[in-house]
Amino acid sequence: MDMEKLVALCRRRGFIFQSSEIYGGINGFWDYGPLGVELKKNVKEAWWQDMVRNPPLGPDGQEINMVGVDCALVMNPKVWEASGHVAGFSDPMVDCKTDGCKGRFRADQLAGMTCPLKPSKAPGQFEKCQLTQPRVFNLMFKTFIGALEDPSAIAYLRPETAQGIFVNYKNVLDSTRLKLPFGIAQVGKAFRNEINPRNYTFRSREFEQMEIEFFCHPDESMKWYEYWRDVRIRWYSQLGIRSERLRPREQTAEERAFYSIGTTDIEYMFPFSEEPQELEGVAHRASYDLTQHQKHSGKDLSYFDEELWAKADKSPYGGDKKKETEAKAGLPYRFTPHVIEPSAGADRFTLAVLCEAYAEDTIGGEARVVMRFHPRMAPIKAAILPLVNKEGMPEKAFALYRELKQDYNVFYDDKGAVGRRYRRQDEAGTPFCVTIDGQSLQDGTVTIRDRDTTEQRRIPIGGVADELRKLLRPAQ
Ligand code: GAP
């Protein structure tokens, strides 16, 4: 698949625009147009429905407890000290001093980059390149709170949604009375001042994450790590990502964060790269975050397992008085939970959905571009088309459109030849075109055209809503 063709289609049909385009754009920022906003909403809504409201049953067939939060983008800066972002959320950066270049690059990714000199080469490959020594560059966007722009007023735009969950862990526990294991989910914006934003929306400076922090007993954490890794891979396949383009990759001990017991990247073979690239990370973060916030805030974030304590035998402990006293005081039943974190990018997955959907084929000798979105992802679920603009067809079509519109994003189109209208819907990725023709007026049936096969069948007009409902049901 040719990335340039996809980018052109996204602009032409209103999926994605460069941000501030009429002013020449702004590097690393993107806007979603009328079709793109629906597509990305579908991504986020599918995730919320399938992971928060109705997650798959647990490894022992149990219900999964999951709730959501929506936290502020700006938090107390102490959060980012505790999480380690102030000290360590940085990339190594080099500058090129050569006239005509003056480029700024990520030092650890030079091989995959091109410099501004023509013909472009990887930074450092011309004789005249003058690269500086790598410097550490913190990726958090800084801002000031209030009128004074002094160091005491510095705050950060959040670089991940996860920390909002950790600092609200106790609030959620107290307000919901949930018991371990349980998860807290959040979807929202994150900001990173990336040194080299690139590959369309893949690496942006403003993007959205869909994150779960799943809290569990340390002894059960590996079971939950494996559960979430498998659930998350399956989710992508269920939404139409072909398995041969998708792979889980277990990070090596050297790659992992020092506190992580295991991390799996779920990667997708994007057309702009020879190697699969990360869509999502599923990380076993042990008790790192809660321990850090407990230390920095001075608040007790431990968990007391009342059920275990009530059931446990707190007597003799083989005569060991110390252990017996500790057991009676409940010490072994008080611990800091471990956390499994499936952390996905809404924009990255939206881009993968676009790449996966793009296809060119020939129908009746005519070439077409068709976006083969999974129906749940498709921005428009059905187009309602009167065959001609007379003989009562528009009225009947419009009535059907008004009815379906109450539940689905449907589109009414009565302009131009029906073949051209089909082509426009194919480019938008609309799974169904419903046409009201002469026969519809006589027997109350309509034709329903399948986007991928272009085959048409007749069904009663009253059955259209049912077809849509079946099509959009999540896989079990
Ligand atoms: N809380 C863990 C965390 O933030 P991450 O691997 O840095 O982990 C998680 O980010 C996901 O967020 C990535 O897998 C990716 O999908 C998305 N993401 C990260 N940086 C991004 C960027 N600059 N542009 C677009 N998406 C990004």
Side-chain angles (χ1 to χ4, degrees), residues 85 89 159-163 166 192 194 197 201-211 213 236 251 265-266 278-281 283 285 341 343-349:
H85 284 79
F89 192 56
E160 61 171 21
T161 61
Q163 297 304 323
F166 291 123
R192 295 184 189 178
E194 298 281 357
T201 58
F202 178 83
R203 191 177 302 289
S204 313
R205 289 181 164 137
E206 174 178 343
F207 54 94
E208 270 185 279
Q209 291 186 313
M210 310 184 287
E211 296 199 294
E213 306 302 328
Y236 290 107
Q251 286 190 5
D265 285 346
I266 301 176
E278 177 185 333
L279 272 183
E280 165 164 356
R285 298 179 68 98
E341 177 194 68
S343 171
D347 303 85
R348 278 214 190 152
F349 181 46

Side-chain angles (χ1 to χ4, degrees), residues 87-207:
F89 192 56
S90 48
D91 281 336
M93 172 177 82
V94 292
D95 290 311
C96 181
K97 299 283 182 202
T98 305
D99 282 341
C101 180
K102 304 281 184 200
R104 179 158 279 177
F105 311 103
R106 244 176 88 166
D108 56 339
Q109 291 183 349
L110 291 179
M113 282 179 189
T114 49
C115 73
L117 294 179
K118 296 283 175 268
S120 286
K121 292 189 183 180
Q125 294 212 324
F126 284 107
E127 252 179 47
K128 57 180 174 180
C129 292
Q130 301 173 60
L131 297 182
T132 60
Q133 285 300 310
R135 285 181 292 151
V136 165
F137 173 74
N138 193 296
L139 299 182
M140 281 197 293
F141 275 101
K142 264 189 199 151
T143 186
F144 296 95
I145 296 180
L148 283 183
E149 294 200 359
D150 65 21
S152 69
I154 288 178
Y156 304 96
L157 298 187
R158 67 180 182 196
E160 61 171 21
T161 61
Q163 297 304 323
I165 297 179
F166 291 123
V167 301
N168 276 296
Y169 157 77
K170 198 82 182 154
N171 283 339
V172 171
L173 201 57
D174 293 346
S175 57
T176 59
R177 316 198 56 149
L178 280 168
K179 302 265 180 284
L180 283 190
F182 68 89
I184 308 179
Q186 175 162 217
V187 174
K189 291 264 183 179
F191 300 83
R192 295 184 189 178
N193 200 356
E194 298 281 357
I195 298 168
N196 292 114
R198 60 189 177 137
N199 290 333
Y200 204 22
T201 58
F202 178 83
R203 191 177 302 289
S204 313
R205 289 181 164 137
E206 174 178 343
F207 54 94

Side-chain angles (χ1 to χ4, degrees), residues 208-226:
E208 270 185 279
Q209 291 186 313
M210 310 184 287
E211 296 199 294
I212 294 170
E213 306 302 328
F214 193 78
F215 300 89
C216 60
H217 192 287
D219 292 350
E220 296 198 325
S221 60
M222 280 318 282
K223 177 172 87 177
W224 288 110
Y225 170 58
E226 284 159 18

Side-chain angles (χ1 to χ4, degrees), residues 399-434:
L400 177 64
Y401 163 72
R402 295 285 311 162
E403 184 204 322
L404 295 175
K405 199 179 170 172
Q406 297 181 38
D407 298 309
Y408 306 104
N409 189 36
V410 289
F411 187 77
Y412 180 80
D413 188 5
D414 61 3
K415 303 206 175 49
V418 76
R420 281 184 57 108
R421 284 183 266 163
Y422 287 152
R423 295 290 172 279
R424 280 188 63 75
Q425 292 307 317
D426 290 343
E427 273 192 347
T430 308
F432 275 155
C433 284
V434 180

